[in-house]
Amino acid sequence: MTVEIVCPACGDEVGDSFYDLPAIPTNSCLLINDREAALAFPVAPLRLSLCPGCGFIFNAAWEGSRTVYSESYEETQGFSPTFNAFHERLARDLIDRNGLRGKRVIEIGCGKGEFLALLCRLGDNEGVGYDPTFMPGRLNDATAGRARFLRELFDETTGPIACDFLCCKMTLEHIPDVGRFVGMIRRALDGQEGTCVFFQVPNARLVLQDGAFWDVYYEHCSYFTAHSLSGLFQRCGFAVDRVWTDYDDQYLMIEARPASAPVSVPTGQAAVAEIRQWAEEFRQGVGAAISAWREQLTDAAASGRRTVLWGSGSKSVAFLTTVGLNGEVASVVDINPFRHGRYLPATGHEIISPDELSTTPPDLVVVMNSVYRDEIRKMLQAQGCDPELRCL
């Protein structure tokens, strides 16, 4: 019997998937303390499907019981000077354009709290952050008491909220029922038409156009283009002010405000057709991209070259497990000290500090995110290493 699949964003019926993986790790960022546990880490299938009505992409095989968000979830990029410079620039831009000075700010999915702390410190704002993975003691006293953090989910039980600015960064892609979730936020903001809502998600257009299979993993059950993101907010009762990308086009961002009257949602048939074309090109080309990386790194190992990956987050887990690599990669490097000595799910690679490279210099470093290329090259030079760098 055929099971009908409906789009979580608009409710339309969805057909066949365009990208299937039989077994991928159900979490990419959990801290795993021993190699045996990493090798035995649970896996589950992925089936990316595209809604023909609104262009939203989602994992139709996703099961919520398989993902874990706790204090062992270590996702922060806050140890990178490159990322911190972007974060501060973004915070200042949001503060200046929305007049966020002496205001009340809420962040849903605040992670370790770095961005909310920036908004509070730079704008002298008061803030509340919601996230079960928040770790007390990880932030310094930069917020000076202006921000408080609740280690819980923002959900229907949270109720109405009063704020001048609501922020949700790199969280919506983890939410399966995106229509319900954004609608819940709209209802929580009833009567607050002046409140600006800011969301940031990965840019699915870039994933599809670049064949970036390493950006497809289990925690990300929802994938957005500019069209599907703006359409979702409009259907949920928001007036969209602005949609744009940043961070080398990797992040898709939207600003919107609760509308006082029903919002007309354009059909966008041409935009959906374009997304469908990107998905088809991804489907046709992803196999060759996977094979090319497998051949490159297998050949490097066969010739005696020592290869390491730089970056131990979700990209590296998706890259290694999708390409099917293990011994061809000697180690995985990360600048986050909380990840050192832990292990990648499924492959069991130990995560090491950049300082360890000086004793076993690599011949080839595969950079998981090209935006950090210059930063990584400087750290390698500081360790006396001059390997070849290849970026995803």
Side-chain angles (χ1 to χ4, degrees):
M1 182 178 67
T2 302
V3 178
E4 179 181 309
I5 300 174
V6 298
C7 173
C10 74
D12 280 5
E13 185 174 345
V14 176
D16 295 335
S17 57
F18 67 89
Y19 180 52
D20 292 14
L21 294 172
I24 60 175
T26 55
N27 285 88
S28 301
C29 293
L30 288 179
L31 298 177
I32 306 174
N33 294 325
D34 62 82
R35 190 167 188 269
E36 290 72 23
L39 292 172
F41 201 83
V43 296
L46 174 139
R47 296 198 306 271
L48 283 192
S49 298
L50 168 66
C51 175
C54 71
F56 176 61
I57 296 169
F58 63 102
N59 177 10
W62 187 86
E63 297 180 32
S65 61
R66 295 181 179 274
T67 55
V68 177
Y69 297 105
S70 67
E71 61 184 24
S72 295
Y73 194 84
E74 184 59 45
E75 84 301 343
T76 183
Q77 296 169 267
F79 291 95
S80 163
T82 302
F83 183 79
N84 288 339
F86 160 73
H87 240 190
E88 180 163 339
R89 174 171 58 81
L90 176 62
R92 291 186 182 279
D93 178 59
L94 292 173
I95 289 169
D96 290 343
R97 286 192 304 104
N98 293 286
L100 299 180
R101 300 192 182 278
K103 303 294 186 179
R104 177 175 169 80
V105 176
I106 286 178
E107 183 173 10
I108 299 172
C110 65
K112 300 303 181 284
E114 298 104 334
F115 193 67
L116 182 61
L118 272 176
L119 291 175
C120 290
R121 177 172 59 84
L122 297 175
D124 195 23
N125 296 304
E126 293 185 359
V128 178
Y130 294 83
D131 202 309
T133 74
F134 177 77
M135 289 290 291
R138 285 281 290 269
L139 280 175
N140 57 28
D141 62 354
T143 59
R146 290 190 288 263
R148 62 188 181 96
F149 299 91
L150 304 176
R151 298 176 66 186
E152 60 189 54
L153 295 172
F154 185 100
D155 57 24
E156 285 86 350
T157 65
T158 305
I161 54 176
C163 62
D164 302 290
F165 184 81
L166 187 143
C167 173
C168 185
K169 291 175 66 275
M170 308 307 283
T171 297
L172 190 60
E173 67 274 15
H174 295 255
I175 304 295
D177 300 325
V178 292
R180 180 200 60 79
F181 184 79
V182 176
M184 171 192 67
I185 292 173
R186 173 62 186 86
R187 290 188 297 274
L189 294 172
D190 273 349
Q192 300 180 67
E193 285 76 13
T195 296
C196 179
V197 172
F198 168 78
F199 274 63
Q200 175 185 300
V201 295
N203 183 7
R205 175 183 59 79
L206 195 67
V207 175
L208 297 176
Q209 289 185 330
D210 288 359
F213 60 86
W214 50 86
D215 276 324
V216 178
Y217 31 89
Y218 201 79
E219 293 102 317
H220 283 193
C221 50
S222 299
Y223 299 78
F224 294 93
T225 63
H227 174 75
S228 63
L229 185 63
S230 59
L232 170 64
F233 274 78
Q234 288 167 333
R235 280 189 299 275
C236 291
F238 286 94
V240 175
D241 294 335
R242 184 185 183 210
V243 179
W244 75 105
T245 63
D246 204 332
Y247 214 52
D248 203 19
D249 215 25
Q250 295 180 28
Y251 296 153
L252 174 65
M253 294 175 276
I254 186 170
E255 282 184 347
R257 299 174 194 275
S260 56
V263 178
S264 175
V265 184
T267 57
Q269 293 180 350
V272 174
E274 188 174 39
I275 298 168
R276 189 182 299 115
Q277 180 181 345
W278 298 337
E280 177 60 19
E281 291 171 354
F282 179 94
R283 186 191 68 79
Q284 292 183 11
V286 68
I290 294 169
S291 296
W293 274 108
R294 184 184 299 120
E295 181 178 353
Q296 288 182 56
L297 298 186
T298 300
D299 289 349
S303 64
R305 303 183 74 195
R306 179 179 174 81
T307 299
V308 303
L309 301 191
W310 196 294
S312 69
S314 299
K315 292 178 189 289
S316 63
V317 174
F319 179 79
L320 288 170
T321 55
T322 305
V323 176
L325 298 174
N326 201 312
E328 296 87 351
V329 173
S331 57
V332 177
V333 182
D334 205 291
I335 61 175
N336 182 345
F338 294 98
R339 300 186 67 84
H340 298 162
R342 310 301 179 99
Y343 296 82
L344 289 191
T347 68
H349 285 88
E350 184 176 7
I351 304 168
I352 66 173
S353 163
D355 295 341
E356 297 184 46
L357 295 179
S358 60
T359 57
T360 52
D363 302 296
L364 172 63
V365 172
V366 181
V367 178
M368 294 292 99
N369 190 333
S370 60
V371 78
Y372 300 113
R373 180 194 295 107
D374 293 341
E375 177 180 302
I376 290 169
R377 189 181 298 279
K378 290 177 182 178
M379 283 188 275
L380 286 166
Q381 291 172 346
Q383 296 300 320
C385 302
D386 187 25
E388 177 189 357
L389 263 62
R390 296 182 193 172
C391 298
L392 295 186

